[in-house]
Amino acid sequence: AQSVAQPEDQVNVAEGNPLTVKCTYSVSGNPYLFWYVQYPNRGLQFLLKYITGDNLVKGSYGFEAEFNKSQTSFHLKKPSALVSDSALYFCAVRDPSQGGKLIFGQGTELSVKP
Amino acid sequence: GAVVSQHPSWVICKSGTSVKIECRSLDFQATTMFWYRQFPKQSLMLMATSNEGSKATYEQGVEKDKFLINHASLTLSTLTVTSAHPEDSSFYICSARVQQGGGVKNIQYFGAGTRLSVL
């Protein structure tokens, strides 16, 4: 079965510093990987996805993620964090064997301090 | 990106009543919609997958008679929480998958969520 893991419940970063939110995956076959962000009392917003192609994927709001097959990782990154980036981030994998449903990680709360 | 509208955003109801939540894809057709439940500070739990014109597929442990799902058109799915009780209080989120030209674009777009409080 497909799964993703986000090893950090919370990440704290100072504004202007680079940020990384970690995600590792376990899949059979080619992975379809996604990052979503959730602001308080809101639904999820799509940030970026990896299906195939370049390992470095660029997404919304200056975020990017690097697909690393050897390390089975798909970490989310941003060169310079903003206070407004503070939110809950979810990594997800799409499971074609289960009707294409998304399997979500536990979520990582990102806090960016001024 | 594609827009998914979810209504209402917040509902308070008495125990024993039923509540209907609507999920609409505003600018695309969604043959597949998903309903999730989320507890505070936790991940999303998939409740069911809804395909237009057919019965929903429920995840293990989700009561289909309690959480009625209808997907009558390519742009509308509804979730009805029947005979709601305080333990049903939660944040419910719908999602729609974009399908264009016979191929799936592999992106799910989410509604803003509905906070249900059962008194």
Side-chain angles (χ1 to χ4, degrees), chain B residues 59-98:
Chain B
E59 295 298 301
Q60 192 171 7
V62 178
E63 299 176 61
K64 61 181 181 181
D65 294 330
K66 180 159 188 67
F67 299 100
L68 300 178
I69 292 172
N70 182 277
H71 192 162
S73 77
L74 287 173
T75 59
L76 174 64
S77 177
T78 61
L79 167 68
T80 301
V81 183
T82 62
S83 186
H85 291 282
E87 59 266 28
D88 298 324
S89 298
S90 190
F91 194 54
Y92 293 88
I93 307 175
C94 75
S95 172
R97 189 161 67 201
V98 178

Side-chain angles (χ1 to χ4, degrees), chain A residues 2-9 11 19-27 31-36 48 50 64-77 89-94 103-108:
Chain A
Q2 324 278 34
S3 66
V4 290
Q6 293 176 244
E8 301 157 317
D9 290 336
V11 170
L19 70 87
T20 299
V21 183
K22 295 180 180 178
C23 173
T24 58
Y25 65 88
S26 175
V27 303
Y32 288 10
L33 296 161
F34 303 81
W35 274 102
Y36 286 86
L48 50 81
Y50 172 83
E64 58 189 28
E66 186 170 9
F67 171 68
N68 188 316
K69 189 173 183 178
S70 62
Q71 296 185 7
T72 62
S73 66
F74 189 56
H75 301 332
L76 181 70
K77 299 181 180 182
Y89 290 80
F90 290 100
C91 181
V93 63
R94 182 165 176 250
I103 309 297
F104 286 92
Q106 307 93 307
T108 298

Side-chain angles (χ1 to χ4, degrees), chain A residues 32 34 36 38 41-46 49 51 88 90 94 98-102 104-107 109, chain B residues 10 34 36 38 41-44 46 49 59 91 93 97 104-113 115:
Chain A
Y32 288 10
F34 303 81
Y36 286 86
Q38 184 180 32
N41 294 312
R42 304 290 294 174
L44 275 65
Q45 293 181 30
F46 170 76
K49 66 179 168 103
I51 305 296
L88 192 56
F90 290 100
R94 182 165 176 250
Q98 297 189 56
K101 69 181 184 182
L102 284 179
F104 286 92
Q106 307 93 307
E109 187 160 2
Chain B
W10 198 306
F34 305 85
Y36 295 84
Q38 186 182 32
K41 302 285 188 179
Q42 294 188 24
S43 189
L44 280 72
L46 180 65
T49 302
E59 295 298 301
F91 194 54
I93 307 175
R97 189 161 67 201
V104 176
K105 289 193 72 176
N106 295 316
I107 298 175
Q108 279 182 224
Y109 292 93
F110 287 79
R115 184 159 301 285

